[in-house]
Amino acid sequence: MSGHSKWATTKRHKAAIDAKRGKIFSVIGKEISLAARDGGGDPDFNPRLRTLVLKGKSANMPADNIERAIKKGTGELGGTAIEELLYEGYGPSGVGIIIEVTTDNKNRSASDVRSTLTKNGGKLAGTGALTYNFKRKGQFLIGSEKCEEDSLMEVALDNDAEDVIVENDHFEVLCEVVDFDKLSQALCESGIEPDSAELVYVPNSLVKVEDETQAKQVLRLIELLDDLEDVKSVHSNYDVEEGLLES
């Protein structure tokens, strides 16, 4: 399983599909602006921007929103500077949580993250307290109805994918960060459209939560963090005993 839980993978897949539309437009828009700022506003010459534009389109993000986000990034439109921030914290049962943020107001983001953690049995940790236990990877989540396993395996392995994980309703493809853009383009050219394509933090080891009450508390905390305005993604080394939350 490449060092992370099926539960966590499935949750991320569900979140990628069920995310609130307004929130996801805002998050993708900020990512597009950052990509355009760093690599230029032409998707043909900016692989990261191309991937994010496709992500926006797959989420039914209006073309005008995408164009405005690109122009904000290139400086054609004014606006407050956007920053990428990383917060580390602990949840119930000592699970580790990494929170990625894109924001135009870091004071608001810090306050929201800290408050959500402390009100729900967690606490903010210092820089570097948790990242050593995670690896940065490229991750693609693809609904199983979108492609055949053999076809996906061929494209993935021919383009330096590290792992292809088969779940009940989707596939998860992992790669090194340096191979993310190449693999993203290869999937696109093969007609395979991921539900989610992003850089993630994959834990090296998991914290098993066996108490049902604490498992629900951890799940609730992660969902609350994920719902915050500026939060792009939430990663955890949380694992739950199979069947514990199926009641």
Side-chain angles (χ1 to χ4, degrees), residues 70-210:
I70 292 173
K71 288 182 176 179
K72 284 181 180 179
T74 58
E76 294 174 68
L77 289 179
T80 307
I82 297 170
E83 297 181 79
E84 290 183 287
L85 303 172
L86 191 71
Y87 296 102
E88 301 170 55
Y90 294 99
S93 295
V95 302
I97 303 173
I98 291 180
I99 306 112
E100 292 188 276
V101 166
T102 52
T103 183
D104 55 9
N105 187 328
K106 62 182 181 181
N107 290 331
R108 177 187 66 217
S109 299
S111 176
D112 286 350
V113 169
R114 183 183 294 106
S115 175
T116 302
L117 283 167
T118 56
K119 289 179 179 178
N120 294 276
K123 63 179 180 179
L124 201 61
T127 302
L130 290 163
T131 49
Y132 75 92
N133 194 35
F134 288 77
K135 291 179 180 177
R136 190 71 160 156
K137 298 288 182 182
Q139 181 203 58
F140 301 85
L141 301 178
I142 303 159
S144 55
E145 77 283 355
K146 290 190 172 184
C147 63
E148 297 293 330
E149 181 180 340
D150 290 345
S151 300
L152 176 60
M153 287 282 188
E154 182 177 356
V155 174
L157 297 179
D158 284 349
N159 289 276
D160 298 321
E162 207 173 66
D163 202 359
V164 178
I165 301 160
V166 181
E167 300 287 6
N168 290 332
D169 63 345
H170 70 281
F171 304 103
E172 178 182 13
V173 182
L174 294 171
C175 67
E176 294 291 343
V177 172
V178 295
D179 298 317
F180 180 83
D181 292 329
K182 177 177 69 175
L183 184 51
S184 177
Q185 184 171 353
L187 290 170
C188 179
E189 291 174 352
S190 300
I192 300 173
E193 182 183 329
D195 295 300
S196 172
E198 58 187 334
L199 300 178
V200 300
Y201 286 89
V202 177
N204 297 321
S205 59
L206 298 170
V207 174
K208 191 81 169 181
V209 182
E210 299 178 346

Side-chain angles (χ1 to χ4, degrees), residues 1-59:
M1 280 302 300
S2 301
H4 59 303
S5 67
K6 290 186 179 183
W7 175 87
T9 300
T10 302
K11 179 188 179 298
R12 287 197 298 273
H13 179 68
K14 185 175 187 300
I17 297 170
D18 297 341
K20 297 173 184 177
R21 182 165 295 185
K23 161 72 185 292
I24 202 168
F25 286 178
S26 174
V27 170
I28 295 173
K30 291 173 185 174
E31 289 186 273
I32 287 173
S33 294
L34 287 168
R37 182 194 69 188
D38 295 339
D42 188 343
D44 291 334
F45 297 96
N46 185 339
R48 181 61 182 150
L49 178 60
R50 180 171 60 248
T51 297
L52 288 166
V53 168
L54 290 172
K55 182 178 179 180
K57 289 179 178 178
S58 69

